[in-house]
């Protein structure tokens, strides 16, 4: 349907997809751009990051739990989803599970309050359930895989649908001193049987992949494609993907607003500038940002964190609400139909489809325009194609190539690429030179001035 619609808009046949492409669920996931992670559990009360699993259940005692407040904070921060650590490595379940003795009491069902609040607040709910379990006596034995699969089923059937299931890569010894051989195909099947639209996160997907660090940074060259050898659970290329990857497994950039993943009384959130840097290095490099904002021992997001998140949203709105390319004239020699102007509209499913692997698109402004940020988006439902973008400028009739150091403007683009120039530049005409593994398909080009008030 989407391809047909796009074809009508450019009055010609839609190009064939190139290589692996996202499922509709992966596309919807990528378009969320910034989501919230909530690490909450016994560690919130003990000061630990990895609980031993031996903590008394009574340790988990929020004094004023309010998941609606988490939802309000996330919505105000412009986030589309929240993922809750329903079970971290200590094995403590934030719902009264039938498959564990280490859980909240039935009248203290945090997962229920969380999913209800998300539904009421119109935000998507996701769930983290750690396969590593330092409490469960069966951990380290073949029976544990069935226990974990039942746990997944219980959560997804009883509390879903969830937009994302987070499978942590950590795997250590259990209380019986044994490590677990995880049955990944069973775990994935269990979730997808209940909810085929759930995006499965792990180091190697299959829905989305770990970016390979916890600092909030994808590589500048970042493919949403990945080569995963059969049965492999790790990749060296989480941050950059594989240009020749045979599967669509985009990068998720998880990072905490505070030094730890869990709330600790003596820690404080990052600044707006630090969050902006993370945003440029994640969303701006074809990744999805999963920003952890841990609730405190009351069960609420602290005021200092929500204040920073509001300011982070306001800063993004300030910079990205005025697209200076709007109203520019567009020209492209290498095009199908009449599509060059489609890069300026905000409709997602309209695009400029070039007809050759090297193709140019010109933006001509009415008057001299000053800018320092360029946003480019590839139409990823047809695959990720672009390998490099150069920019030519016309200061006084002649065209000059703009380089960042000795690099092109950028290498990969993917869903979204945000390019920050070293300093604002003032020009009337910009020529973008694209190169791709297949003719580029671009759905958006926008320019902004981050220094404008
Ligand atoms: C890691 C875990 O070990 C941390 O505790 C945290 O949950 C982080 C998001 O993933 O692998």
């Amino acid at each position: 349907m989407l391809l047909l619609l796009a074809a009508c808009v450019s009055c010609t046949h839609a190009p064939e997809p190139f290589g692996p492409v996202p499922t509709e669920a992966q596309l919807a996931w990528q378009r969320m751009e910034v989501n919230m992670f909530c690490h909450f559990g016994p560690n919130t009360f003990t000061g630990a990051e990895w609980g031993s699993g031996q903590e008394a259940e009574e340790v988990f005692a929020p004094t004023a739990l309010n998941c609606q407040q988490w939802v309000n904070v996330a919505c105000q921060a412009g986030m589309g989803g929240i993922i809750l650590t329903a079970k971290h490595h200590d094995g403590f379940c934030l719902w009264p599970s039938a498959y564990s003795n280490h859980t909240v009491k039935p009248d203290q069902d945090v997962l229920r309050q969380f999913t209800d609040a998300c539904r009421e607040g119109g935000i998507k709910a996701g769930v983290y359930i750690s396969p590593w379990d330092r409490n469960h006596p069966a951990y380290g034995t073949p029976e544990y895989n069935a226990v974990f699969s039942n746990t997944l089923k219980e959560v997804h059937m009883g509390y879903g649908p969830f937009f994302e299931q987070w499978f942590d890569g950590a795997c250590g010894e259990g209380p019986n001193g044994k490590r677990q051989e995880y049955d990944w195909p069973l775990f994935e099947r269990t979730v997808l049987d209940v909810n085929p639209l759930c995006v499965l996160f792990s180091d190697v997907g299959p829905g989305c992949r770990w970016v390979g660090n916890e600092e909030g940074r994808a590589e500048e060259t970042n493919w949403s494609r990945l080569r995963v050898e059969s049965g492999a659970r790790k990749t060296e290329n989480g941050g950059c993907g594989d240009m020749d990857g045979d599967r669509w497994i985009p990068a998720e950039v998880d990072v905490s607003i505070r030094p730890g993943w869990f709330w600790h009384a003596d820690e404080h959130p990052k600044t707006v500038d630090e969050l902006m840097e993370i945003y440029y290095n994640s969303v701006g490099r074809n990744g999805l940002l999963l920003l952890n904002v841990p609730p405190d021992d009351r069960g609420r997001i602290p005021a200092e964190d929500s204040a920073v998140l509001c300011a982070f949203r306001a800063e993004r709105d300030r910079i990205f609400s005025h697209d200076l390319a709007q109203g520019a004239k567009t020209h492209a020699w290498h095009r199908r139909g009449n599509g060059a102007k489609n890069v300026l509209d905000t409709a997602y499913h309209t695009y400029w489809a070039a007809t050759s692997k090297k193709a140019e698109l010109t933006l001509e402004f009415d008057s001299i325009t000053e800018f320092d940020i360029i946003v480019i988006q590839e139409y990823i439902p047809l695959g990720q194609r672009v390998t490099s973008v150069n920019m030519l400028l016309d200061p006084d009739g002649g065209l000059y190539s703009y380089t960042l150091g000795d690099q092109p403007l950028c290498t990969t683009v993917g869903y979204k690429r945000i390019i920050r120039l070293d300093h604002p530049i003032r020009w009337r005409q910009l020529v973008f030179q694209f190169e791709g593994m297949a003719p580029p398909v671009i759905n958006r080009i926008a320019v902004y001035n981050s220094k404008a008030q």
Side-chain angles (χ1 to χ4, degrees), residues 37 39 49-50 85 88-89 128 132 166 168-170 210 214 254 261-262:
F37 215 177
H39 276 66
E49 275 290 315
W50 281 3
T85 53
H88 201 251
H89 308 326
Y128 169 121
W132 183 22
W166 228 83
D168 201 296
W210 186 43
E214 294 179 340
D254 62 316
W261 289 101
F262 286 87

Side-chain angles (χ1 to χ4, degrees), residues 166-363:
W166 228 83
F167 285 124
D168 201 296
C171 169
E173 290 176 357
N176 54 13
K178 294 188 186 139
R179 280 172 77 92
Q180 184 71 32
E181 285 292 324
Y182 295 135
D183 187 345
W184 287 108
L186 170 68
F187 303 163
E188 291 171 5
R189 224 175 32 242
T190 304
V191 175
L192 294 178
D193 276 355
V194 180
N195 178 7
L197 299 181
C198 188
V199 173
L200 304 183
F201 168 97
S202 86
D203 285 0
V204 290
C208 60
R209 68 174 197 262
W210 186 43
V211 76
N213 65 72
E214 294 179 340
E215 287 133 36
R217 180 174 36 80
E219 299 297 329
E220 291 204 31
T221 296
N222 180 16
W223 294 96
S224 290
R225 310 171 56 156
L226 200 65
R227 237 181 3 247
V228 189
E229 308 305 333
S230 160
R233 296 308 310 173
K234 294 257 172 246
T235 172
E236 293 295 302
N237 295 345
C240 55
D242 295 310
M243 185 173 180
D244 60 353
D246 53 344
R247 294 162 68 188
W248 187 270
I249 307 179
E252 181 173 80
V253 183
D254 62 316
V255 58
S256 186
I257 197 168
R258 287 168 169 247
W261 289 101
F262 286 87
W263 175 83
H264 306 294
D266 56 348
E267 292 184 350
H268 299 284
K270 294 182 166 61
T271 63
V272 176
D273 286 352
E274 287 170 317
L275 293 181
M276 284 305 291
E277 196 59 30
I278 287 172
Y279 176 76
Y280 287 123
N281 292 340
S282 54
V283 177
R285 290 182 178 175
N286 188 32
L288 179 137
L289 171 58
L290 180 62
L291 182 61
N292 180 61
V293 186
D296 61 17
D297 54 358
R298 296 170 307 161
R300 294 179 182 225
I301 291 170
E304 57 175 332
D305 300 60
S306 57
V308 166
L309 284 172
C310 280
F312 175 43
R313 165 85 187 269
E315 180 65 353
R316 283 179 287 145
D317 286 351
R318 183 186 71 75
I319 296 172
F320 295 106
S321 53
H322 189 198
D323 173 11
L324 299 166
Q326 288 300 310
K329 291 195 188 68
T330 52
H331 318 279
W333 289 112
H334 313 96
R335 62 169 204 261
R336 303 166 75 104
N338 203 9
K341 65 176 182 341
N342 292 340
V343 301
L344 297 185
D345 69 32
T346 52
Y348 187 71
H349 296 293
T350 64
Y351 50 75
W352 162 58
T355 48
S356 54
K357 291 184 192 173
K358 284 188 178 187
E360 285 186 5
L361 185 142
T362 303
L363 290 189

